[in-house]
């Protein structure tokens, strides 16, 4: 008779928003290797999401997909409440999805401002609001937000993006205080320049010249920290903003 031993992460469902590419994909893959059950969110990147699901399952992991627009409050509420009713509370939530529309402030359009704030900052509320109460009832969980070095120190050409990410940092710290008594940790990761589609076509040598380590980071370097914060060993870490930026800030 073969005995099957479950790991401490077996059955722990983790939602990763924006999981179809870049940092989100790396987080989903790394967490799946640690035997978390991944619920991979996408909005329009269905093909990439399906490829991620196939890769995780091909490596023996568990992955399901969920589609919604994080900027659409009703879409989030409807789909996330339905998911929770069927499956129960998430153990972990990684808020990674976001957009940027860079421009110098005098040339920034209303759509540039509204699109970034509605997606990045409103997305914090839209995704977490339907999910926090089920986590509170379970009295256990991990919430990880992905901000940016731009939200820590600001960046020219990114007034909208910096504002949205600084808002996420503030919201993360406040929510951590509210949920600490429920044994739910809430932390923020603030990546610097990371090798993703967001910097494709940019003058990389010029950009990294200001980074003490003289290189861009890898998505996996952000993912490894996210998965550590999901773990039992990070149970006393909350309300923190942890930078992964090669010494940039």
């Amino acid at each position: 008779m073969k005995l099957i031993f479950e790991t401490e992460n077996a059955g722990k469902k983790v939602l990763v928003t924006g999981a179809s590419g870049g940092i989100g994909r790396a987080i989903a893959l790394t967490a799946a290797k640690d035997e978390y059950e991944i619920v991979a969110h996408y909005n329009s990147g269905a093909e990439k999401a399906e490829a991620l699901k196939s890769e995780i399952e091909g490596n023996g992991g568990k992955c399901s997909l969920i589609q919604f627009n994080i900027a659409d409050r009703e879409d989030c509420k409807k789909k996330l409440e339905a998911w929770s009713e069927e499956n129960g509370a998430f153990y972990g939530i990684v808020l990674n999805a976001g957009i940027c529309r860079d421009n110098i402030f005098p040339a920034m359009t209303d759509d540039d401002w509204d699109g970034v704030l509605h997606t990045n900052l409103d997305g914090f509320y839209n995704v977490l609001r339907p999910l926090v109460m089920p986590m509170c009832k379970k009295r256990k969980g991990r919430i990880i937000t992905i901000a940016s070095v731009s939200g820590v120190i600001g960046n020219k050409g990114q007034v909208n993006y910096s504002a949205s990410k600084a808002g996420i940092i503030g919201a993360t710290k406040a929510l951590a205080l509210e949920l600490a008594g429920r044994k739910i940790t809430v932390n923020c990761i603030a990546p610097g320049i990371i090798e993703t589609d967001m910097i494709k076509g940019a003058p990389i040598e010029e950009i990294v010249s200001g980074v003490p380590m003289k290189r861009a980071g890898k998505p996996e370097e952000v993912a490894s920290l996210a998965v550590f914060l999901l773990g039992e060993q990070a149970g006393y870490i909350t309300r923190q903003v942890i930078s992964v930026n090669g010494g940039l800030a």
Side-chain angles (χ1 to χ4, degrees):
M1 179 179 177
K2 184 178 180 181
L3 297 178
I4 298 175
F5 297 95
E6 292 189 343
T7 70
E8 65 179 17
N9 298 330
K12 292 180 177 177
K13 295 178 174 61
V14 175
L15 171 66
V16 181
T17 68
S20 59
I23 292 173
R25 181 178 182 277
I27 292 171
L29 288 169
T30 306
K33 288 178 183 176
D34 269 16
E35 301 189 9
Y36 291 101
E37 294 184 20
I38 305 302
V39 180
H41 156 264
Y42 69 97
N43 183 25
S44 58
E47 189 174 327
K48 289 182 178 180
E50 289 288 354
L52 171 66
K53 182 175 185 292
S54 295
E55 184 170 350
I56 290 174
E57 292 178 341
N59 290 328
K62 294 182 179 180
C63 181
S64 58
L65 302 180
I66 185 169
Q67 185 279 330
F68 56 83
N69 179 358
I70 66 168
D72 186 329
R73 188 161 297 160
E74 287 305 311
D75 193 31
C76 290
K77 185 174 186 292
K78 177 182 176 181
K79 291 175 181 174
L80 290 171
E81 284 184 349
W83 191 95
S84 294
E85 287 175 10
E86 183 176 347
N87 300 283
F90 283 106
Y91 164 77
I93 302 169
V94 183
L95 294 177
N96 164 76
I99 63 170
C100 66
R101 293 178 183 171
D102 297 351
N103 211 337
I104 58 171
F105 190 71
M108 190 169 288
T109 67
D110 291 350
D111 286 343
D112 289 338
W113 179 269
D114 291 341
V116 170
L117 269 292
H118 287 325
T119 301
N120 297 357
L121 187 53
D122 287 356
F124 176 99
Y125 179 88
N126 296 344
V127 174
L128 287 181
R129 183 63 180 82
L131 300 179
V132 163
M133 188 53 72
M135 292 180 79
C136 286
K137 290 178 180 177
K138 199 170 182 180
R139 298 186 68 85
K140 188 172 187 179
R142 303 281 188 265
I143 295 172
I144 301 166
T145 63
I146 306 297
S148 169
V149 66
S150 294
V152 177
I153 62 173
N155 191 28
K156 62 182 180 180
Q158 291 191 321
V159 174
N160 51 357
Y161 188 72
S162 295
S164 70
K165 294 299 187 177
I168 286 172
I169 289 171
T172 299
K173 285 179 169 286
L175 186 61
L177 288 175
E178 294 187 10
L179 299 184
R182 299 285 181 172
K183 299 181 180 178
I184 299 169
T185 66
V186 189
N187 291 292
C188 180
I189 299 174
I193 300 162
I194 306 296
E195 294 175 358
T196 66
D197 288 343
M198 198 172 283
I199 65 168
K200 276 188 177 177
I204 300 301
E205 290 186 7
E206 179 183 338
I207 291 173
V208 301
S209 64
V211 178
M213 293 191 73
K214 302 302 179 186
R215 69 172 178 88
K218 299 181 183 301
E220 293 76 15
E221 292 173 312
V222 179
S224 62
L225 174 58
V227 174
F228 171 76
L229 291 173
L230 286 173
E232 295 288 342
Q233 67 272 33
Y236 200 54
I237 301 172
T238 196
R239 206 184 176 210
Q240 302 306 302
V241 180
I242 305 173
S243 296
V244 183
N245 61 32
L248 186 59

